[in-house]
Amino acid sequence: NEREMIYLNMDRLPLDSPLYDGTLVHEVQHLIQWNLDANEDKWLNEGLSQIAEDMASLDTVDPAPYLEQTNIRLDRWSKYAPEIFAHYGGSFLYLLYLRQQAGVAALTELAKDPGVNPVQAEARGMRILRGLLSEQTPAVHVVPGPGVRRRHMRPEEMDRRPWVRVYLNFMRPLW
C-alpha cells in the first residue's frame, strides 16, 4: 500500500459499463485531489469527483436524491442511504453551478485552496461567483404574465357581535 493505486471490484463493475468508467474517473480525481490537498473536505472532494465524471461526458451522476430532500447540508455528511446520495447530489449541483458560472479555472482555484473548513470553502466559492457576476451584466428575460382580473374588494368584517353582522349583511350592496 505504498503506491498510489485504485482498486475496483470487477464483480460489481462490468468492464464495458458506464458505471465502471464513471467510477474510474471518480477515483482518479480523488488521487489527483489527494496530491493537491490531502485533507480536503468530503463534500468538496466528492463533488469534484462527480464534476470529473460530468466533464468526461459520462452519464453516471444522479442529483435526484438531493432534489428530493434539499434540506441536506454540504458539510454534514451522513454515512447511510438515502441521505448520503443526497449529499453527493448537493455537492455536485453546487460545484456544477460554480463551473457553469465561473468556469473550470474557478474549480481549480477552489480545489487548490478551499480554506480551513467547509464554511470557508463555501464562502470562497461564493466570492468567486460574486466577482464573476459583478463583471457581467446579467441578461434579463421578461415574460408577460396573465392579465389581472379585478374583483370588488369588501372590507373584512371585524366586529363579531351578532347584531352588527346582521346590520352589515343587510346594508351590503348587491353587486
Side-chain angles (χ1 to χ4, degrees):
N1 285 351
E2 295 188 21
R3 301 257 186 242
E4 294 174 352
M5 61 179 73
I6 298 172
Y7 295 95
L8 297 176
N9 183 347
M10 300 310 290
D11 293 336
R12 308 234 18 213
L13 296 169
L15 191 57
D16 294 335
S17 70
L19 188 57
Y20 172 83
D21 296 336
T23 303
L24 185 59
V25 168
H26 186 104
E27 297 305 325
V28 166
Q29 190 291 137
H30 282 310
L31 282 178
I32 295 167
Q33 185 59 35
W34 187 81
N35 280 303
L36 286 174
D37 182 1
N39 295 319
E40 191 66 84
D41 287 323
K42 186 169 184 126
W43 74 269
L44 183 55
N45 197 0
E46 295 300 339
L48 289 170
S49 291
Q50 291 194 310
I51 289 292
E53 292 176 53
D54 186 63
M55 290 176 73
S57 300
L58 298 169
D59 190 21
T60 51
V61 178
D62 182 17
Y66 173 76
L67 299 174
E68 293 168 2
Q69 46 185 338
T70 56
N71 61 338
I72 297 290
R73 293 179 51 150
L74 288 176
D75 61 342
R76 298 218 176 119
W77 279 57
S78 172
K79 296 178 183 175
Y80 307 104
E83 289 86 14
I84 194 165
F85 302 119
H87 289 296
Y88 276 95
S91 62
F92 168 71
L93 289 175
Y94 178 76
L95 293 176
L96 179 66
Y97 179 75
L98 185 61
R99 184 184 92 196
Q100 289 172 344
Q101 299 301 314
V104 176
L107 291 180
T108 304
E109 184 181 335
L110 184 61
K112 285 181 182 176
D113 183 24
V116 178
N117 58 44
V119 174
Q120 287 181 352
E122 191 172 350
R124 185 168 169 82
M126 292 308 292
R127 277 194 305 276
I128 292 169
L129 281 174
R130 246 186 262 118
L132 176 77
L133 293 174
S134 67
E135 296 169 4
Q136 298 178 357
T137 305
V140 178
H141 180 68
V142 178
V143 178
V148 177
R149 224 176 79 198
R150 299 196 183 267
R151 294 183 293 173
H152 177 71
M153 298 182 67
R154 298 183 184 119
E156 184 179 336
E157 297 174 13
M158 297 299 288
D159 199 330
R160 303 289 182 227
R161 294 174 287 185
W163 64 271
V164 172
R165 205 170 348 176
V166 170
Y167 177 76
L168 290 173
N169 285 335
F170 179 75
M171 298 303 289
R172 181 171 287 149
L174 298 175
W175 66 89

